Amino acid sequence: MGDVTPLDAARPRALEFFAGIGLARMGMEAAGFRVAWANDYEPDKKAMYDAQFGETDGHSFALGDIGRVLVSDLPRDVSLAWASSPCTDLSLAGGRAGLAGAQSGTFWHFIRLLRELGDDRPEVAVLENVTGLATSHGGDDLAAAIRAFNDLGYSVDVLALDARRFVPQSRPRLFLVGAQNPPEDIAEPNSELRPDWLQWVYGDETLRTHRAALPAPPAPMHTGLGSMVEEIPLDDERWWDRERTEAFVASLSPTQRERVATMRRESGVKYRTAYRRTRGGVAVWEVRPDDISGCLRTARGGSSKQAVVRMGSKRLQVRWMTPREYARLMGAGDYDLSGARNNQALFGFGDAVAVPAVAWLGEHYLMPLVRGALGKASARVAMVAND
């Protein structure tokens, strides 16, 4: 990336906890921030991160367990701290151990470091996680996270934002936005960003919360998967052979098999995505009925990997989704994949946050919060100077 330019130096600086392959960084920097420090514990993810961003003056990456990160390792004069902490113990696919779990519990080290920063604590702190955080342990985990921010001087806003509003992938996520100088609260009717199942947060008088005035996000996408699919020759070896494809079709339910057969007979080409599920102890395939991708996941096993189904003009072909397709569906279509292994890339993207969701939040919420705080601080300095 080269040296820090005067323009870069003027950008508010950010910390990127649980950085993964850097998709949050891409979104934050698109919104005008400059990421000065990052941390993750997986060498494979750092390798992809380094390939994408290169060596940048004014940026450091702490590889290792966040529990071993010291406050002295963190740069000062930062305006934003972003944390995409592990969701393993909060997702429906996990054990639902919540914030007490070994993976998702790393959130408390993020809180520890913010506490130890003291007066150097950033103006804004964000936690991104799966929507399962809202229901984990009957809402107690979400309340505990908000109180942890409250104890550090942050008022918290809670937003539900689906990447489907920006890319053709169903990927709902929860964002906790902590502000030391929150905007004026708006008594709005329930919005798309704060649906009914989140409203209890604002009615709990033991929690310090706010609701910022925000523009309506883009409408959810219902089509567009085809534009994400790589053009792969029909005789490419990545397409499954006849026997495997027939086994795929045979595993479909009668309803799905008929739907697939109909699309296969139609003219033109259509793409759908498919997951392998276990139903009644039997592995079966399920094809999405709509023209968007299912939620990308980490490629720890066959059931988590997503397949692409190509249908039309009496043909049906199936293959695994490629790393480039994962990248496009995460809003990072130009990501440098030149040195990444297949599963390394799938894992990195499946365990990340969608770039355009971060960029939208950064542009419409985080940057205005930071600029407002910086403006107030400058005004206070000017008043003192004039006294």
Side-chain angles (χ1 to χ4, degrees):
M1 285 285 183
D3 297 335
V4 176
T5 66
L7 177 61
D8 288 333
R11 294 181 173 187
R13 300 203 303 167
L15 307 175
E16 184 187 21
F17 292 86
F18 314 102
I21 63 173
L23 299 199
R25 174 176 175 174
M26 294 176 72
M28 285 187 283
E29 294 190 340
F33 290 95
R34 178 165 65 92
V35 174
W37 178 92
N39 159 258
D40 201 272
Y41 70 99
E42 295 199 33
D44 275 355
K45 290 180 179 177
K46 182 181 185 297
M48 291 183 63
Y49 192 106
D50 290 345
Q52 172 64 21
F53 299 105
E55 294 185 5
T56 309
D57 289 346
H59 180 278
S60 60
F61 193 113
L63 176 64
D65 187 342
I66 188 176
R68 296 180 180 273
V69 174
L70 304 176
V71 70
S72 58
D73 299 329
L74 304 180
R76 300 304 195 266
D77 190 26
V78 294
S79 299
L80 170 66
W82 181 284
S84 292
S85 62
C87 63
T88 309
D89 301 306
L90 298 166
S91 69
L92 293 174
R96 301 308 293 266
L99 290 181
Q103 296 292 321
S104 299
T106 52
F107 162 76
W108 298 109
H109 286 294
F110 170 57
I111 293 296
R112 168 183 63 83
L113 289 165
L114 289 178
R115 180 182 300 110
E116 293 174 356
L117 279 170
D119 292 340
D120 292 324
R121 202 170 294 142
E123 171 62 28
V124 180
V126 179
L127 172 67
E128 176 265 330
N129 215 291
V130 294
T131 55
L133 175 58
T135 56
S136 178
H137 293 118
D140 287 349
D141 281 340
L142 177 55
I146 294 172
R147 288 194 183 95
F149 282 118
N150 290 168
D151 290 344
L152 298 177
Y154 295 101
S155 174
V156 177
D157 198 356
V158 186
L159 308 175
L161 186 61
D162 195 333
R164 184 176 178 175
R165 296 181 180 277
F166 311 97
V167 290
Q169 180 200 172
S170 175
R171 195 177 189 85
R173 288 296 184 266
L174 207 63
F175 297 86
L176 277 64
V177 179
Q180 293 199 57
N181 294 281
E184 182 178 350
D185 188 58
I186 56 169
E188 62 169 27
N190 298 5
S191 72
E192 295 176 275
L193 295 170
R194 304 178 186 92
D196 290 346
W197 49 272
L198 279 178
Q199 288 302 307
W200 65 269
V201 168
Y202 303 98
D204 188 334
E205 296 183 355
T206 69
L207 304 176
R208 182 183 173 213
T209 60
H210 66 272
R211 289 170 294 186
L214 297 170
M221 298 178 70
H222 297 283
T223 61
L225 176 64
S227 65
M228 303 286 107
V229 175
E230 280 195 87
E231 291 293 332
I232 294 179
L234 300 184
D235 59 355
D236 189 284
E237 63 180 9
R238 284 172 288 184
W239 293 105
W240 295 352
D241 60 25
R242 179 177 178 179
E243 181 180 356
R244 191 175 184 182
T245 303
E246 288 177 350
F248 169 87
V249 174
S251 79
L252 300 174
S253 69
T255 299
Q256 291 216 354
R257 198 175 306 153
E258 178 56 34
R259 184 192 307 136
V260 167
T262 298
M263 286 189 283
R264 183 177 185 173
R265 290 191 297 266
E266 292 173 349
S267 60
V269 175
K270 296 180 178 63
Y271 290 96
R272 295 291 185 268
T273 61
Y275 274 122
R276 191 165 59 201
R277 314 280 193 186
T278 300
R279 304 297 186 196
V282 178
V284 299
W285 280 95
E286 294 182 359
V287 180
R288 283 189 68 98
D290 48 5
D291 189 28
I292 65 170
S293 166
C295 185
L296 302 180
R297 301 176 184 172
T298 56
R300 291 192 185 276
S303 62
S304 66
K305 293 171 65 175
Q306 200 158 175
V308 173
V309 186
R310 182 185 188 278
M311 296 167 286
S313 301
K314 299 182 180 181
R315 295 184 66 118
L316 182 146
Q317 291 182 274
V318 187
R319 60 170 171 79
W320 293 118
M321 189 177 285
T322 68
R324 181 58 62 195
E325 288 163 347
Y326 266 59
R328 291 172 179 173
L329 287 166
M330 293 298 285
D334 58 353
Y335 197 95
D336 186 348
L337 296 171
S338 57
R341 304 183 310 277
N342 192 76
N343 274 2
Q344 177 187 10
L346 299 186
F347 185 92
F349 286 108
D351 200 27
V353 58
V355 173
V358 178
W360 187 91
L361 197 66
E363 176 186 354
H364 297 289
Y365 199 161
L366 309 182
M367 186 60 78
L369 275 179
V370 167
R371 293 297 189 197
L374 291 175
K376 291 177 182 178
S378 297
R380 286 194 296 269
V381 171
M383 289 180 62
V384 171
N386 291 331
D387 286 344

